[in-house]
Every structure is written in structure tokens, then in C-alpha cells.
Amino acid sequence: GAGVSQTPSNKVTEKGKYVELRCDPISGHTALYWYRQSLGQGPEFLIYFQGTGAADDSGLPNDRFFAVRPEGSVSTLKIQRTERGDSAVYLCASSLTGGYQETQYFGPGTRLLVL
Amino acid sequence: GQSLEQPSEVTAVEGAIVQINCTYQTSGFYGLSWYQQHDGGAPTFLSYNALDGLEETGRFSSFLSRSDSYGYLLLQELQMKDSASYFCALNDYKLSFGAGTTVTVRA
């Protein structure tokens, strides 16, 4: 398992519920990113972790969205009080050190549907 | 902020050459990347230009002109498996993506 993995692959929930999306980055990668992709659009940046800390969370749309990476590897994106507009594919990516010119490796995404 | 524009769709036949243009507006960036994404799949890295000029990687080449705020991805010897969406993205430790170009390859 050399790539970025994400679970679950699909998540259906009801409006107002809480969801957690998990990302396992490539082993040894210190930089981890979350993006959100709506249908027909490119991925949109949400948050960037360097190690355990969130170095840039400027893309989180509001305070219902929160992400953690407590041990510097696995990350969880948490969405409270989900809304239908949160429906999208949530992508996770990792890179070796977070350098400006490093390749980011993406996982297959979690498809979230809020009914 | 960052904004990128690319054509929404391109159709071509097997064996042909396709050029996907990308124009951008930015206050600063380190380079331009290109990613490929098949339906339901993960975006995968294709090419990166840190400097002006052409970068060649097999059948794919990418070009950047900072003075023109312009880049392109060239796909040569098109194959059916190249049918996918292609995204240009500005690198600034995080990636800022365009809306993507859907390439359809016909037999």
C-alpha cells in the first residue's frame, strides 16, 4: 500500500448529521492536504498540515469544518451539522516535506452525499 | 487570489495531438502543474514547469510563459486511455486548480 488511502470511499448522511473522513498519507510524508471537489470543478484547497499542526486552514469554508492530524500521519476531516451544499468529493493529498515544487499525491477521495 | 482558465472540452481522434491552454492570474506562484483525473479516480501528476519553456515527459509536454501568464499541456499520439479530465494548477505549497478540460478520444 504505497499510495494515499481514504476511508470511507462513499458516505451518505442526512442534513444536520456529523461526519468524519479519514486520510492515510504515504508513509514518511510530513505534508498533508485536504481539498474538496464539486462536480465539474477542479479541487479546491481546504487545509494544509505540516506534521501535526495546521499550517494553513484558510480554505475551510466555515467553523463547521475541522481537521486534525494528532500524530503527524493519519488525518481526519470532521464536518458538523452537515448541509446539502457540503456534498462533494473530499480529496486528500500528501507530499514529502511540503516544498513549494513537490509533487502532491492524491488519494481516491471520499464521495460525500448529504440528503 | 488565484484564477485559472482552461477550455471545458476537447475532442480528438486516436493518434492526434491535443493542446490544452491555461491562462492564469496570480499575485505569485512557484510553478504550474498539470494533473490528469479519470472519472471517479484520483488526480495524478503529469508535469510541472518551474521555469519558462518546455518540459517533455514521454507523450506529454508542458509549457510555461510567465510573461504571458500562459501555459499549455500537449498530448501527443493520443490513445483511448487518455480520455480524462486535465487540470492546470498553480503551485504555492498548496495547489490552485483550474476547472479542468475534459478530453475525449475517439477511435
Side-chain angles (χ1 to χ4, degrees), chain A residues 33 35 37 40-45 48 56 58 91 98-108 111, chain B residues 30-31 35 37 39-45 48-50 87 91-100:
Chain A
Y33 310 80
Y35 294 85
Q37 186 173 24
Q41 299 298 316
E44 179 185 23
F45 169 78
Y48 159 52
D56 182 352
S58 63
L91 294 164
Y100 297 119
Q101 304 184 63
E102 283 185 353
T103 298
Q104 292 186 20
Y105 298 90
F106 283 80
R111 283 152 191 78
Chain B
Y30 289 90
Y35 281 78
Q37 185 177 33
D39 266 354
T44 56
F45 173 79
Y48 175 72
N49 293 76
F87 297 90
N91 279 61
D92 179 16
Y93 72 81
K94 61 191 177 188
L95 295 169
S96 298
F97 287 87

Side-chain angles (χ1 to χ4, degrees), chain A residues 101, chain B residues 29-32 48-53 55 64 66:
Chain A
Q101 304 184 63
Chain B
F29 73 112
Y30 289 90
L32 187 70
Y48 175 72
N49 293 76
L51 304 174
D52 283 5
E55 290 287 338
L64 175 64
R66 287 175 180 264

Side-chain angles (χ1 to χ4, degrees), chain A residues 11 13 26 55 61 69 77 88:
Chain A
K11 177 70 177 178
T13 190
I26 293 172
R69 194 185 185 201
L77 179 66

Side-chain angles (χ1 to χ4, degrees), chain A residues 6-12 19 21-22 33-47 61 65 77 79 83-93 106-114, chain B residues 37-43 87 97:
Chain A
Q6 294 185 245
T7 55
S9 54
N10 292 280
K11 177 70 177 178
V12 181
V19 297
L21 312 179
R22 176 187 167 109
Y33 310 80
W34 284 98
Y35 294 85
R36 178 169 70 174
Q37 186 173 24
S38 300
L39 195 62
Q41 299 298 316
E44 179 185 23
F45 169 78
L46 296 176
I47 188 169
F65 289 74
L77 179 66
I79 311 174
E83 299 177 357
R84 293 194 179 87
D86 299 335
S87 297
V89 176
Y90 289 81
L91 294 164
C92 176
F106 283 80
T110 294
R111 283 152 191 78
L112 175 66
L113 177 61
V114 182
Chain B
Q37 185 177 33
H38 287 99
D39 266 354
F87 297 90
F97 287 87

Side-chain angles (χ1 to χ4, degrees), chain B residues 69-82:
Chain B
S69 298
Y70 164 76
Y72 67 72
L73 179 69
L74 195 69
L75 289 67
Q76 302 179 0
E77 301 171 17
L78 274 180
Q79 302 175 9
M80 297 298 287
K81 66 179 181 180
D82 297 329

